[in-house]
């Protein structure tokens, strides 16, 4: 088994979840014990964890957006209302993700342990 299984479907913001990815891809991510899934588009930065899979959405590079459903099940962290990006660093036992806003200030940070 690889130290990490990363795949680059869920969203707490507009336009929201992609139902076909949830019904078709999410079961495979869970079955094969994927640690992290990276996607973009929703114009925010977000981290959602569902059934052991960490979903990182990075879409704040092209447009500012507000409107996160803060009650979304599994939502761990988000950044909205400004341009931004996230970066990742890791080794065999941990993967750290940090959100960065347009001013360069770091915001939400999380570390996943193996």
């Amino acid at each position: 088994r690889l130290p990490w299984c990363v795949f680059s479907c869920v969203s707490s913001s507009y336009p929201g979840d992609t139902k076909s990815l949830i019904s078709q891809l999410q079961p495979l991510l869970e079955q094969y014990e994927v640690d992290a899934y990276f996607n973009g588009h929703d114009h925010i930065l977000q981290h959602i964890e569902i059934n052991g899979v960490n979903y990182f959405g990075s879409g704040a590079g092209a447009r500012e957006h507000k409107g996160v459903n803060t009650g979304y099940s599994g939502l761990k962290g988000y950044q909205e209302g400004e341009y931004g990006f996230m970066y990742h660093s890791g080794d065999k036992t941990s993967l750290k993700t940090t959100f960065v806003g347009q001013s360069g200030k770091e915001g939400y940070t999380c570390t996943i342990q193996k």
Side-chain angles (χ1 to χ4, degrees):
R1 175 154 159 84
L2 297 172
W4 288 98
C5 188
V6 177
F7 192 85
S8 193
C9 70
V10 297
S11 176
S12 64
S13 180
Y14 175 83
D17 293 344
T18 302
K19 302 297 183 201
S20 61
L21 286 176
I22 291 173
S23 67
Q24 297 173 31
L25 182 59
Q26 186 172 357
L28 294 173
L29 297 175
E30 293 171 9
Q31 177 183 346
Y32 292 103
E33 299 178 7
V34 171
D35 297 298
Y37 174 89
F38 297 90
N39 67 291
H41 181 258
D42 281 344
H43 306 295
I44 64 168
L45 304 175
Q46 61 185 338
H47 173 209
I48 298 168
E49 195 245 324
I50 300 173
N51 297 332
V53 180
N54 290 275
Y55 297 86
F56 293 97
S58 181
R63 184 175 137 200
E64 300 167 325
H65 175 75
K66 286 191 176 184
V68 172
N69 174 2
T70 57
Y72 190 92
S73 180
L75 182 64
K76 299 292 186 183
Y78 67 93
Q79 182 172 307
E80 65 175 341
E82 65 177 324
Y83 296 106
F85 63 94
M86 61 178 69
Y87 69 90
H88 314 276
S89 60
D91 57 30
K92 289 182 179 182
T93 62
S94 66
L95 176 67
K96 180 180 179 182
T97 298
T98 303
F99 295 179
V100 181
Q102 65 191 37
S103 68
K105 182 179 176 186
E106 294 184 355
Y108 173 78
T109 298
C110 72
T111 301
I112 302 166
Q113 301 290 335
K114 288 294 278 183

